[in-house]
Amino acid sequence: MDKVKKGGGTVVLFFKQKKKNGQIISKKTPSSIVEEHSKNKISSSLDETVHFMKGILGDSNDFVIKHFKVFGQFRAVMFYFSDLTDQTVINNDILKPLMYIPNHLLQRKIVLNDLKDVIINETLYHSQAKLNDCLNRLVDFVLRGETVIAIEGIAEGIHIGTRKLEKRAVNQPETEQAIMGPREGFIENIATNLALLRYRLPTPDFCVKKMEIGRLTKSKVAICYIKGIADNKVINEVEKRLSEIDIDVIMDAGYLEQFIEDNPFSPFPQVHSTERPDKAVANLAEGRVAILVDGSPFALMVPVVFSQFYQTVEDYSTRFLMGSFVRLSRMLALVFSLVFPSLYVSFISFNPELLPTEFAVAVAGGRAGIPFPAVVEVLVIEVAMEVLREATVRLPKQVGGALSIVGVLVIGEAAVNAGLASPITVVVIALTTIGSFATPAYVAAFALRMLRFPIIILAGIFGLYGVVIGIIFIFNHMLSLKSFGVPYMAPVSPENYQGMKDVVIRSPLWWMPKRPTFLHQENVARLREERNKALEHNKVGNDQREEGTSGGPKRNHNSSSSDNLN
């Protein structure tokens, strides 16, 4: 049975299996032991502390217990994991100043009661040294890569930040490519991701709240928002939903998304994930809340509306005419990818009279000899395309590119020559697939890909009526969705004038002086018109030309710029 010894509040545990009649009836794990003694304090007895730490972490070969004497007279022990810590910092900044008394303390008599203050304030060459007397917290510090020091006669442990992990460099985002705009992307380290946000938001209004989720992983989660812009109700709701998550492992931000979304059975995403810091900052400036998870290169943005999923960063980095044109083409491709195959099936199977005569004859000639109905043919090609797409994604880039070319050219041509599919069907599916690629957000494009199949089936049963019924059901579902209290189809329904300026087209920035109010921001002013002289750029220089042409006094063009502007 377990041997329990109490001293100074510490419980020393020797892990042995309990037996009854020769059979094992229970065995406690180290994590459960730590939870049981979460309120216990560290003992002033160094031996008891060493026994406890060894019983909890001693089974790991990379766990190091280093015995030494502080200033050559006080017994102490250092605990750390060699694979998580920086050995250079431990040797030079911790062990060396503790084992050899500094010169400024040579003539000073150090007593035990003053030792911890002398170590932290006058000895250690490290700014992240703190005291803690809770056993489970000290174990947690060691597991996170910090170094813990226990000293004989002191009922507190010193934990020092010595964590060192290899991380990849900040590179261009892989999932959100942009022609214009910044090239930085989030990485797996949450500290680096927060630094990327603070680099772009050097304001005291940018706030970060941290918590831990996951009984085993204890993943750090950061809630980011701009105070004075984000709605306090949304912030509180985000904290509430995250605090109610009780799971053992959180490996990615997608784990949290499945717990905090309003309708988990909807194909449409109600949480927007992004890999771009600039996009996250733009969403924060509109009043949204960002959620970062340690170990994930994605930030979750809430609340969201559907219009976000076909908008990109370069819409705002380019001139508004170019951004509006690209956005319109993107929306056209989005609708195209959803309804084009079902329209093709309905026209071929039920309403060929709606097609021009020459085109209808060409389609009928291409379908001659096809043994399947149009709906079966389209579904088979769609499924084959989805399988080909998934295979392309999972294979290495060098092989995946070759597979996509082989699938499109060879398999498609072979299917047509074998009489299994008509040429027009292959063209329709190819155009539909290209249209789905034009949707910037992968999760939104995936939702449309899933909804394409039931609409095709409805078109094969009811024709155009089935297509209309399917679209009505989809719109009705989207109108009923909400994301943290915000209607999913805002600002279209309910309508919002300021938000409508950035839905179909991207209006000029000076036409959008206020933030869309459907996010219920505390501060809606985005542009101060009375102070922004750039709004009068068309007038600069025109007055001078008018005076010169009318015979009035001409200005000296060599004068300073300040005189010209005044």
Short mmCIF file of all heavy atoms in Angstrom, two decimals, residues 340-375:
data_model
loop_
_atom_site.label_atom_id
_atom_site.label_comp_id
_atom_site.label_asym_id
_atom_site.label_seq_id
_atom_site.Cartn_x
_atom_site.Cartn_y
_atom_site.Cartn_z
N PHE A 340 -24.51 25.12 -60.59
CA PHE A 340 -24.31 24.82 -62.00
C PHE A 340 -24.58 23.35 -62.34
O PHE A 340 -25.28 23.06 -63.32
CB PHE A 340 -22.89 25.23 -62.42
CG PHE A 340 -22.67 25.22 -63.90
CD1 PHE A 340 -23.63 25.73 -64.77
CD2 PHE A 340 -21.52 24.69 -64.45
CE1 PHE A 340 -23.45 25.71 -66.14
CE2 PHE A 340 -21.32 24.67 -65.81
CZ PHE A 340 -22.28 25.19 -66.66
N PRO A 341 -24.06 22.35 -61.59
CA PRO A 341 -24.36 20.95 -61.95
C PRO A 341 -25.84 20.63 -61.83
O PRO A 341 -26.39 19.88 -62.68
CB PRO A 341 -23.54 20.15 -60.92
CG PRO A 341 -22.49 21.08 -60.45
CD PRO A 341 -23.11 22.43 -60.47
N SER A 342 -26.52 21.18 -60.81
CA SER A 342 -27.95 20.90 -60.67
C SER A 342 -28.75 21.55 -61.80
O SER A 342 -29.74 20.96 -62.29
CB SER A 342 -28.45 21.39 -59.31
OG SER A 342 -28.17 22.76 -59.15
N LEU A 343 -28.38 22.74 -62.23
CA LEU A 343 -29.06 23.35 -63.37
C LEU A 343 -28.85 22.52 -64.64
O LEU A 343 -29.78 22.35 -65.44
CB LEU A 343 -28.53 24.78 -63.58
CG LEU A 343 -28.94 25.83 -62.55
CD1 LEU A 343 -28.29 27.17 -62.87
CD2 LEU A 343 -30.45 25.98 -62.50
N TYR A 344 -27.65 22.00 -64.81
CA TYR A 344 -27.38 21.16 -65.97
C TYR A 344 -28.27 19.92 -65.95
O TYR A 344 -28.86 19.54 -66.98
CB TYR A 344 -25.90 20.78 -65.98
CG TYR A 344 -25.55 19.69 -66.95
CD1 TYR A 344 -25.51 19.94 -68.32
CD2 TYR A 344 -25.28 18.39 -66.51
CE1 TYR A 344 -25.19 18.93 -69.22
CE2 TYR A 344 -24.95 17.39 -67.39
CZ TYR A 344 -24.91 17.65 -68.74
OH TYR A 344 -24.60 16.65 -69.65
N VAL A 345 -28.39 19.28 -64.80
CA VAL A 345 -29.23 18.07 -64.68
C VAL A 345 -30.68 18.41 -64.95
O VAL A 345 -31.39 17.67 -65.68
CB VAL A 345 -29.06 17.45 -63.29
CG1 VAL A 345 -30.09 16.33 -63.08
CG2 VAL A 345 -27.65 16.88 -63.12
N SER A 346 -31.18 19.51 -64.42
CA SER A 346 -32.60 19.86 -64.62
C SER A 346 -32.88 20.21 -66.07
O SER A 346 -33.94 19.84 -66.61
CB SER A 346 -32.96 21.04 -63.71
OG SER A 346 -32.19 22.18 -64.03
N PHE A 347 -31.95 20.91 -66.72
CA PHE A 347 -32.17 21.26 -68.13
C PHE A 347 -32.17 20.02 -69.01
O PHE A 347 -33.01 19.87 -69.91
CB PHE A 347 -31.09 22.23 -68.60
CG PHE A 347 -31.27 23.63 -68.06
CD1 PHE A 347 -30.18 24.48 -67.94
CD2 PHE A 347 -32.51 24.09 -67.68
CE1 PHE A 347 -30.34 25.76 -67.44
CE2 PHE A 347 -32.69 25.38 -67.18
CZ PHE A 347 -31.59 26.21 -67.06
N ILE A 348 -31.22 19.11 -68.76
CA ILE A 348 -31.10 17.94 -69.61
C ILE A 348 -32.26 16.96 -69.38
O ILE A 348 -32.82 16.39 -70.33
CB ILE A 348 -29.75 17.23 -69.36
CG1 ILE A 348 -28.59 18.15 -69.77
CG2 ILE A 348 -29.67 15.91 -70.10
CD1 ILE A 348 -28.60 18.54 -71.22
N SER A 349 -32.67 16.79 -68.13
CA SER A 349 -33.65 15.75 -67.80
C SER A 349 -35.09 16.23 -67.90
O SER A 349 -35.98 15.44 -68.26
CB SER A 349 -33.38 15.23 -66.38
OG SER A 349 -32.07 14.73 -66.26
N PHE A 350 -35.35 17.51 -67.57
CA PHE A 350 -36.74 17.96 -67.47
C PHE A 350 -37.08 19.14 -68.38
O PHE A 350 -38.21 19.23 -68.87
CB PHE A 350 -37.05 18.36 -66.01
CG PHE A 350 -37.09 17.21 -65.06
CD1 PHE A 350 -35.93 16.78 -64.42
CD2 PHE A 350 -38.27 16.54 -64.80
CE1 PHE A 350 -35.96 15.72 -63.54
CE2 PHE A 350 -38.30 15.48 -63.92
CZ PHE A 350 -37.15 15.06 -63.30
N ASN A 351 -36.16 20.05 -68.56
CA ASN A 351 -36.49 21.28 -69.26
C ASN A 351 -35.53 21.56 -70.41
O ASN A 351 -34.87 22.62 -70.45
CB ASN A 351 -36.48 22.46 -68.29
CG ASN A 351 -37.38 22.23 -67.08
OD1 ASN A 351 -36.90 21.90 -66.00
ND2 ASN A 351 -38.68 22.39 -67.29
N PRO A 352 -35.39 20.65 -71.37
CA PRO A 352 -34.48 20.94 -72.50
C PRO A 352 -34.99 22.08 -73.38
O PRO A 352 -34.20 22.67 -74.13
CB PRO A 352 -34.44 19.62 -73.26
CG PRO A 352 -35.72 18.94 -72.90
CD PRO A 352 -36.01 19.33 -71.49
N GLU A 353 -36.28 22.42 -73.29
CA GLU A 353 -36.81 23.50 -74.12
C GLU A 353 -36.27 24.86 -73.71
O GLU A 353 -36.38 25.84 -74.48
CB GLU A 353 -38.34 23.51 -74.05
CG GLU A 353 -38.94 23.91 -72.70
CD GLU A 353 -39.00 22.76 -71.71
OE1 GLU A 353 -38.55 21.65 -72.08
OE2 GLU A 353 -39.47 22.97 -70.58
N LEU A 354 -35.68 24.95 -72.51
CA LEU A 354 -35.11 26.22 -72.07
C LEU A 354 -33.75 26.49 -72.71
O LEU A 354 -33.25 27.62 -72.62
CB LEU A 354 -34.97 26.24 -70.54
CG LEU A 354 -36.28 26.14 -69.75
CD1 LEU A 354 -35.99 26.13 -68.25
CD2 LEU A 354 -37.20 27.30 -70.09
N LEU A 355 -33.16 25.47 -73.31
CA LEU A 355 -31.86 25.65 -73.95
C LEU A 355 -32.05 26.09 -75.39
O LEU A 355 -33.06 25.75 -76.04
CB LEU A 355 -31.07 24.33 -73.92
CG LEU A 355 -30.74 23.75 -72.54
CD1 LEU A 355 -30.08 22.37 -72.71
CD2 LEU A 355 -29.82 24.68 -71.78
N PRO A 356 -31.09 26.87 -75.93
CA PRO A 356 -31.15 27.18 -77.37
C PRO A 356 -31.11 25.90 -78.20
O PRO A 356 -30.52 24.90 -77.80
CB PRO A 356 -29.88 28.03 -77.59
CG PRO A 356 -29.56 28.60 -76.24
CD PRO A 356 -29.99 27.56 -75.25
N THR A 357 -31.75 25.94 -79.35
CA THR A 357 -31.91 24.73 -80.17
C THR A 357 -30.58 24.13 -80.56
O THR A 357 -30.36 22.91 -80.42
CB THR A 357 -32.73 25.06 -81.43
OG1 THR A 357 -33.98 25.65 -81.04
CG2 THR A 357 -32.98 23.79 -82.23
N GLU A 358 -29.65 24.98 -81.05
CA GLU A 358 -28.35 24.46 -81.48
C GLU A 358 -27.60 23.83 -80.31
O GLU A 358 -26.99 22.75 -80.45
CB GLU A 358 -27.50 25.57 -82.11
CG GLU A 358 -28.06 26.14 -83.40
CD GLU A 358 -29.18 27.15 -83.13
OE1 GLU A 358 -29.46 27.43 -81.93
OE2 GLU A 358 -29.76 27.65 -84.10
N PHE A 359 -27.66 24.48 -79.14
CA PHE A 359 -26.96 23.94 -77.98
C PHE A 359 -27.61 22.65 -77.50
O PHE A 359 -26.93 21.69 -77.12
CB PHE A 359 -26.96 24.99 -76.86
CG PHE A 359 -26.19 24.56 -75.65
CD1 PHE A 359 -24.81 24.47 -75.68
CD2 PHE A 359 -26.84 24.24 -74.47
CE1 PHE A 359 -24.09 24.09 -74.56
CE2 PHE A 359 -26.14 23.86 -73.35
CZ PHE A 359 -24.75 23.77 -73.39
N ALA A 360 -28.94 22.58 -77.52
CA ALA A 360 -29.64 21.38 -77.10
C ALA A 360 -29.31 20.20 -78.01
O ALA A 360 -29.12 19.07 -77.54
CB ALA A 360 -31.14 21.62 -77.07
N VAL A 361 -29.21 20.46 -79.34
CA VAL A 361 -28.85 19.40 -80.27
C VAL A 361 -27.43 18.91 -80.02
O VAL A 361 -27.15 17.70 -80.04
CB VAL A 361 -29.02 19.89 -81.72
CG1 VAL A 361 -28.45 18.86 -82.70
CG2 VAL A 361 -30.48 20.17 -82.03
N ALA A 362 -26.50 19.86 -79.75
CA ALA A 362 -25.11 19.47 -79.48
C ALA A 362 -25.01 18.65 -78.20
O ALA A 362 -24.28 17.65 -78.15
CB ALA A 362 -24.24 20.72 -79.38
N VAL A 363 -25.76 19.02 -77.17
CA VAL A 363 -25.72 18.27 -75.91
C VAL A 363 -26.32 16.87 -76.12
O VAL A 363 -25.78 15.87 -75.62
CB VAL A 363 -26.48 19.03 -74.81
CG1 VAL A 363 -26.66 18.17 -73.57
CG2 VAL A 363 -25.76 20.31 -74.46
N ALA A 364 -27.44 16.79 -76.86
CA ALA A 364 -28.07 15.49 -77.11
C ALA A 364 -27.14 14.58 -77.91
O ALA A 364 -27.06 13.37 -77.65
CB ALA A 364 -29.39 15.69 -77.85
N GLY A 365 -26.40 15.17 -78.86
CA GLY A 365 -25.46 14.36 -79.62
C GLY A 365 -24.31 13.86 -78.77
O GLY A 365 -23.84 12.72 -78.94
N GLY A 366 -23.85 14.69 -77.84
CA GLY A 366 -22.76 14.27 -76.96
C GLY A 366 -23.19 13.20 -75.98
O GLY A 366 -22.37 12.37 -75.55
N ARG A 367 -24.47 13.19 -75.63
CA ARG A 367 -24.97 12.20 -74.66
C ARG A 367 -25.46 10.92 -75.33
O ARG A 367 -25.90 10.00 -74.64
CB ARG A 367 -26.13 12.80 -73.85
CG ARG A 367 -25.67 13.78 -72.79
CD ARG A 367 -26.81 14.11 -71.84
NE ARG A 367 -27.52 12.93 -71.38
CZ ARG A 367 -27.10 12.11 -70.42
NH1 ARG A 367 -25.95 12.36 -69.82
NH2 ARG A 367 -27.82 11.07 -70.04
N ALA A 368 -25.38 10.85 -76.63
CA ALA A 368 -25.83 9.64 -77.32
C ALA A 368 -24.95 8.46 -76.93
O ALA A 368 -23.72 8.52 -76.99
CB ALA A 368 -25.78 9.87 -78.84
N GLY A 369 -25.57 7.40 -76.50
CA GLY A 369 -24.85 6.19 -76.11
C GLY A 369 -24.45 6.14 -74.65
O GLY A 369 -23.86 5.15 -74.21
N ILE A 370 -24.76 7.19 -73.86
CA ILE A 370 -24.43 7.18 -72.43
C ILE A 370 -25.47 6.31 -71.72
O ILE A 370 -26.68 6.55 -71.82
CB ILE A 370 -24.43 8.60 -71.85
CG1 ILE A 370 -23.44 9.48 -72.61
CG2 ILE A 370 -24.09 8.56 -70.37
CD1 ILE A 370 -22.02 8.99 -72.56
N PRO A 371 -25.05 5.29 -70.96
CA PRO A 371 -26.02 4.34 -70.38
C PRO A 371 -26.68 4.84 -69.10
O PRO A 371 -27.56 4.15 -68.58
CB PRO A 371 -25.16 3.10 -70.10
CG PRO A 371 -23.79 3.64 -69.87
CD PRO A 371 -23.66 4.85 -70.74
N PHE A 372 -26.29 5.98 -68.57
CA PHE A 372 -26.82 6.45 -67.30
C PHE A 372 -27.65 7.70 -67.49
O PHE A 372 -27.42 8.48 -68.43
CB PHE A 372 -25.67 6.77 -66.32
CG PHE A 372 -24.65 5.69 -66.19
CD1 PHE A 372 -23.37 5.86 -66.68
CD2 PHE A 372 -24.97 4.48 -65.58
CE1 PHE A 372 -22.42 4.86 -66.56
CE2 PHE A 372 -24.04 3.48 -65.46
CZ PHE A 372 -22.76 3.67 -65.95
N PRO A 373 -28.61 7.91 -66.60
CA PRO A 373 -29.31 9.20 -66.61
C PRO A 373 -28.34 10.33 -66.26
O PRO A 373 -27.27 10.11 -65.70
CB PRO A 373 -30.40 9.04 -65.54
CG PRO A 373 -30.51 7.57 -65.31
CD PRO A 373 -29.17 6.98 -65.63
N ALA A 374 -28.76 11.55 -66.55
CA ALA A 374 -27.88 12.70 -66.33
C ALA A 374 -27.53 12.86 -64.85
O ALA A 374 -26.39 13.18 -64.50
CB ALA A 374 -28.55 13.97 -66.85
N VAL A 375 -28.51 12.60 -63.97
CA VAL A 375 -28.25 12.80 -62.55
C VAL A 375 -27.22 11.78 -62.04
O VAL A 375 -26.33 12.13 -61.24
CB VAL A 375 -29.56 12.72 -61.75
CG1 VAL A 375 -30.24 11.36 -61.92
CG2 VAL A 375 -29.31 13.00 -60.27
#
